[in-house]
Amino acid sequence: VVMCNFLLNLCTRYPSEIPKISNEILRRLKSNLHVESPSHCRVKVGCESSFAAVAHASVIFFRALPKSRPLILRHGLVGCLTHCVRNVTLTSALRSGKDSSPHHMNWPRWLSPVLLLLEVMAQPTAVSLDETEDEDENGNSKSASKKGEFGRVLAEHKKQSAALAKATRQVFSAIHKDPTIPIKKKKGKDSEVKKKASDAGQCESIELSQSTSKAGAHSAMVSSIPPYLPLILPETAEACMLLCLQLLGLRSKKCPDKALLERVCPPPTVVHAILLLLVRVLHSQKLVLTCLQMGGTDLIL
């Protein structure tokens, strides 16, 4: 925490150093991971403490600097983090050791900060991905791959932004009937100009210019509405929701009778991180209905 406060003060005084510091934090975070393939990732043996510390620092740093969050997508860490959390639910890591009772589970110390970092990425933001730049170790800019996390999120943002602009235009059209038709105003300078215009063609040109100016005003108003979108894909949000429900619904496998399996209660810090992540990802009606159908309310209660 002290080091994060020092780095944030340094970024406040020297904004040009923000990309360099952000990339270095993410490199240190990724160095503790063993990435076998895009669909298989785990924390290196013996690096659990280091990974937990860097993940905690990343939560503090990127929560305070929203414009640096797209760099997490550049490094492809969202998928790696979700795979690490999935390994907790699919393997017997929690039940290692002689005492594997539900009250003595070996919960990894990095689980809570990783869930909080996913919550930071799931937070809706007005940060534009078009304005972000990726830099390598030599400071050279690199173009994002369309198949990478950044490219896919960028395509999803463009799709949702276009849908928002279309819906906004339809709303304005319904309110004003036709945005190109000028709104009637009180007699004033416009009427005086029309009276002075002796030529009928001049009057028509004035009316045409007024209608085009009003249409331009409406289009400018529509285009000025910024999209407020998360930095994760919809399928990633659904995967995070499923992981949260699995963590809340873990049960001990010591009992042979499946009907009498004792539920494993996560630590308070993990439960707090799970609830925060659920609040962020459950922003669509589809995910909310899926969560209710899977018994999410009963698990939370």
Side-chain angles (χ1 to χ4, degrees), residues 33 37-43 51 76-95 107-108 110-112 114-115 118 149 152 233-248 250 253 270 274 277:
L33 298 175
S37 65
S39 58
H40 295 281
C41 180
R42 59 181 176 84
V43 182
F51 181 67
L77 281 171
V78 175
C80 295
L81 297 178
T82 54
H83 291 315
C84 291
V85 177
R86 185 178 293 109
N87 292 335
V88 176
T89 62
L90 298 180
T91 64
S92 59
L94 298 179
R95 303 174 181 88
W107 293 89
W110 51 261
L111 183 57
S112 178
V114 166
L115 292 173
L118 290 174
E149 289 183 1
R152 288 184 287 133
L233 295 170
E235 51 267 27
T236 305
E238 184 176 1
C240 290
M241 185 266 295
L242 295 176
L243 290 175
C244 291
L245 296 183
Q246 290 176 5
L247 291 173
L248 291 176
L250 286 178
K253 294 184 179 180
V270 177
I274 290 173
L277 182 56

Side-chain angles (χ1 to χ4, degrees), residues 119 122 124 244 272-284:
E119 183 267 334
C244 291
H272 180 259
I274 290 173
L275 294 179
L276 284 178
L277 182 56
L278 280 176
V279 170
R280 290 298 184 190
V281 299
L282 293 179
H283 63 275
S284 65

Side-chain angles (χ1 to χ4, degrees), residues 102-172:
H103 303 287
H104 296 84
M105 290 296 179
N106 185 21
W107 293 89
R109 63 180 62 186
W110 51 261
L111 183 57
S112 178
V114 166
L115 292 173
L116 291 177
L117 188 56
L118 290 174
E119 183 267 334
V120 170
M121 296 300 293
Q123 181 180 359
T125 178
V127 175
S128 177
L129 297 182
D130 296 330
E131 298 177 357
T132 59
E133 294 182 356
D134 187 22
E135 295 181 353
D136 55 15
E137 298 179 355
N138 299 325
N140 301 322
S141 59
K142 299 184 296 183
S143 58
S145 174
K146 294 183 179 179
K147 295 182 180 180
E149 289 183 1
F150 183 89
R152 288 184 287 133
V153 173
L154 178 60
E156 181 66 22
H157 279 200
K158 290 181 178 180
K159 178 181 176 182
Q160 296 190 19
S161 299
L164 175 63
K166 181 180 179 181
T168 307
R169 285 194 299 268
Q170 292 176 352
V171 171
F172 276 94

